Amino acid sequence: MSDVASTPEPDQVALDIQGMTCAACSTRLERVLGKVEGVSQARVNLALEQAAIQFDPARVQIEELVRRVEAAGFRAIPPAADPEAGEAERQALRDRDLRRQKRMFLLSAALSAPLLLAMLAHVAGLTHPLVALLHNGFVQLALATPVQFVAGWSFYRDGYRALRGGSANMSVLVALGTSAAFGFSVAALVGGAALGIRGLYFETSAILITLILLGKLLEARAKRSTSDAIRKLMALGATTARVVRDGQELELPVEQVALGDVVLVRPGEKIPVDGEIVAGETSVDESMLTGESVPQDRTAGDSVFGASINQQGSVQVRATRIGAQTALAHIVRIVKQAQASRAPVQRLADRVSAVFVPVVLGLALLTFLVWMLAVGDLTRALVALTAVLVIACPCALGLATPTAIMVGTGVGAQNGILYRNAAALERARALHVVVLDKTGTLTRGTPQLVDLVSVDGQSEEALLRQLASAESASEHPVARAVVARARAQLQLARTAPHSGEAPPLRARDLTLAPPQRFEALGGRGLVAQVDGVAVVAGTRRLLIDHGVELGSLEAAWSRLEGEGKTVMGVALDGKPAGLAAVADTIKDEAPRVVAALRGMGLRVVMLTGDNLITARAIARQCGIDEQDVVAQVLPADKAEAVRRLQRPDPAAPAVVVAMVGDGINDAPALAAADLGMAMGTGTDVAMEAADITLMRGDLRAVVAAIRLGRATLAKIKQNLFWALAYNALGIPLAALGLLNPIIAGAAMAMSSVSVVTNALLLRRFSPMDEP
């Protein structure tokens, strides 16, 4: 036994943060939390207004983290015990803040409108007694003062908190810029002649505050839209459940349903919990969870998920997962986790925002000094300083990445595509190779009887009946495929309309008879007796050992094997009767998906444990090149096969590889790949190891996940470009005196809105469109 104690996993907590105004706030708060002893990682998301913190509970408590956040000038709200109640409380706080912002904007707009009117009248040369009144300095002071110190008080408060915490943020810039214009105007009004200054700029400070408040209001509304996906997901669940206890039906809140309870679900109702049908059969609409629009048939013994809709018959469901363990709760957690994560591309924005405000303050002061030294005009120097302070606010920079991630992951969740983190979105754009596991991914995952060849004089129906009757005593997958085909044929014969002397298939010939004798021969086949007829079915060697000559069946056997199918010969009473070929058939969409991936510039590789002949036959059907088939790979070696694809040449750059699989034996390969995609029809182990979970078994979701990742990263890059370009262009213009402070304020306010609006355009993206 090792003497080294294992390192405990750190606890994680997500604190809601109030009071952040720009990227400088989130960067500063990250620094503050990162310095707390016991905190291993802190990530602050401006768009989500949340801090995700990993910490050691033995060294620091959540209460201390909250105290540090508040000491830095923000408000921190710990997570609620009930996630749904916590989300409702957060939404109520956001709604209250939105109403407050709206009131402040309306107050500011109402008092700024006369000042704007006076400015426009002056520019147009209009004269009127009302205009003359509005040009009175003391009237302008009376109008501008409430705007500056009531509507604009939040900028002073937030700026003070930031400065007290040792840094500066957007509020500092706005407070300094508007205060400079307001203070200059007061000085000019009270003692302009004595001080040698001229001009009133009350309208500049008031209109600046109004425009910035408008921008923050529009930004808040737009940010709220980016989190629509979470709210819609959380609203999907049922609120009540009809529970059968002691023979009585009780309608209870869904929170009171216990594991093992039997829930009655009627047609048209939401299934309240994850569970197993114990009575009844129905079809279930699972589109809200998987994105799959086609209802799924479910009967006794099948699993169903909470929030899906029972469309037809009444069913009784035994609860197997409730509350935070349900599939819906799992999806909500993954989406929240992804939205709170940080994409690698955001590092540039983080580095810039960390030093942005102090640099801007230095540039503003330098601008003021240069103007004073160059022209000696205090008015022009002050106007340039104000324009630089206002135009440089880094709001858009902090929103560029998280808003796009929030919308992209939300669109994915609505289409059954769950990204575990933002890095998965980014890696989807950088892919070179997509590795597709064969069984269950490219193929249906269950063998089917695909060919039946009978000798002359022997009907296929009679051959199938004898073989299926013999196989009915076996649990082997091949046996189940044969019996399933026989029963399907029987159902078709009974229900299909026909005309003429005889039906196309005779139900009498397909009625299965239990074998009188049955013996399974592992790896070789079986021997049985059905209705007094000796049946031998299996490999060539088995038939030869029983003295059966294949004769004319030999050519057909070789042909079917060459197509990658598992072939067994059938002999009745020692004479060859025919062949049955079983194969795991490809999914209908597989060829289209492979073609779409290749059309996106990606190399498509098939990975399988099957023999090379079978693997190449499947690859040909899917449109995969033979040289891109990696066959006869043991489950334990799949991860190594992925690593070889990543580094085919040690001297060459690494190849970015995605792995798509659905089984337990795929989990190591999914973890080894740069981007692991687990089909949601597979196992929980595979889904936990993957970066992306595809909630439906439809292979088209692979293409959709890559397309959505690329589209999201494109939005992030567009946002970062415009946020940086806006400042790179605006600051020099403001410093040169070419930008009026009011225009600078309008541009600054709308830059954040434009970034969020651009991210919201992703909601129009339809990733599941036909490839």
Side-chain angles (χ1 to χ4, degrees), residues 230-297:
I230 288 290
R231 288 197 298 275
K232 289 178 180 177
L233 282 171
M234 297 190 74
L236 287 176
T239 56
T240 61
R242 196 176 292 105
V243 180
V244 180
R245 289 180 181 170
D246 300 325
Q248 294 184 333
E249 290 183 21
L250 303 173
E251 188 160 329
L252 302 174
V254 72
E255 296 83 12
Q256 295 182 18
V257 177
L259 287 174
D261 274 344
V262 174
V263 179
L264 179 63
V265 188
R266 292 173 179 158
E269 294 181 341
K270 287 182 180 180
I271 298 173
V273 293
D274 290 5
E276 178 183 310
I277 295 177
V278 294
E281 58 182 34
T282 185
S283 63
V284 179
D285 178 4
E286 299 176 348
S287 59
M288 65 292 301
L289 298 178
T290 67
E292 176 57 69
S293 59
V294 179
Q296 305 298 306
D297 292 335

Side-chain angles (χ1 to χ4, degrees), residues 14 133 147 203 321 360 452 454 520 550 602:
L133 175 65
V147 175
E203 78 282 352
R321 289 188 291 191
V360 168
L452 201 62
S454 61
L550 294 177
L602 301 172

Side-chain angles (χ1 to χ4, degrees), residues 229 233 287-291 331 335 408-419 708:
L233 282 171
S287 59
M288 65 292 301
L289 298 178
T290 67
I331 290 171
V335 175
T409 53
V411 170
Q414 290 165 359
N415 287 273
I417 303 166
L418 304 182
Y419 297 89
L708 181 56

Side-chain angles (χ1 to χ4, degrees), residues 573-586:
D573 284 336
K575 295 180 180 179
L579 304 175
V582 175
D584 184 7
T585 56
I586 67 169

Side-chain angles (χ1 to χ4, degrees), residues 376-683:
D377 189 327
L378 178 61
T379 301
R380 293 187 67 182
L382 185 67
V383 168
L385 175 142
T386 303
V388 170
L389 288 173
V390 172
I391 194 69
C393 293
C395 307
L397 194 61
L399 294 169
T401 300
T403 50
I405 289 170
M406 289 172 69
V407 178
T409 53
V411 170
Q414 290 165 359
N415 287 273
I417 303 166
L418 304 182
Y419 297 89
R420 189 166 296 278
N421 50 48
L425 281 162
E426 186 167 341
R427 284 197 293 270
R429 185 180 177 86
L431 289 177
H432 301 116
V433 178
V434 176
V435 179
L436 300 171
D437 181 60
K438 181 184 80 69
T439 305
T441 302
L442 280 170
T443 66
R444 300 182 190 279
T446 55
Q448 294 179 309
L449 182 61
V450 292
D451 287 286
L452 201 62
V453 179
S454 61
V455 298
D456 294 340
Q458 176 79 39
S459 73
E460 288 189 7
E461 290 86 353
L463 174 63
L464 181 58
R465 177 184 183 275
Q466 293 285 357
L467 178 59
S469 295
E471 295 278 21
S472 64
S474 172
E475 289 299 319
H476 193 279
V478 171
R480 288 200 293 268
V482 172
V483 173
R485 167 72 177 272
R487 287 177 175 160
Q489 295 283 66
L490 173 60
Q491 183 66 22
L492 177 62
R494 286 175 172 167
T495 59
H498 59 82
S499 60
E501 297 181 359
L505 295 172
R506 297 189 296 277
R508 174 180 52 78
D509 287 343
L510 290 178
T511 303
L512 303 187
Q516 290 87 41
R517 183 172 61 86
F518 173 83
E519 181 183 1
L521 306 172
R524 301 176 66 203
L526 63 85
V527 293
Q529 190 168 23
V530 178
D531 291 338
V533 176
V535 180
V536 178
T539 64
R540 275 191 180 94
R541 174 52 55 190
L542 179 64
L543 268 63
I544 292 171
D545 289 347
H546 282 76
V548 179
E549 295 290 339
L550 294 177
S552 61
L553 293 175
E554 184 65 54
W557 195 314
S558 298
R559 175 179 59 81
L560 292 170
E561 279 189 331
E563 294 172 356
K565 299 169 184 175
T566 300
V567 185
M568 59 179 167
V570 183
L572 303 178
D573 284 336
K575 295 180 180 179
L579 304 175
V582 175
D584 184 7
T585 56
I586 67 169
K587 294 178 179 178
D588 294 337
E589 69 273 13
R592 298 197 307 275
V593 168
V594 170
L597 291 171
R598 296 178 70 167
M600 295 164 73
L602 301 172
R603 177 188 172 197
V604 181
V605 174
M606 187 179 79
L607 185 65
T608 178
D610 278 351
N611 64 72
L612 189 59
I613 292 175
T614 300
R616 285 181 172 174
I618 294 292
R620 281 195 297 273
Q621 295 176 51
C622 295
I624 297 173
D625 295 336
E626 286 191 0
Q627 65 266 26
D628 289 329
V629 174
V630 182
Q632 295 173 289
V633 180
L634 295 175
D637 297 332
K638 285 187 174 182
E640 182 57 34
V642 169
R643 282 191 280 268
R644 285 198 299 269
L645 288 168
Q646 290 171 318
R647 301 293 299 196
D649 182 356
V655 175
V656 183
V657 176
M659 170 72 193
V660 186
D662 76 331
I664 290 176
N665 59 26
D666 296 326
L670 290 170
D674 300 288
L675 186 67
M677 299 190 199
M679 305 293 284
T681 51
T683 66

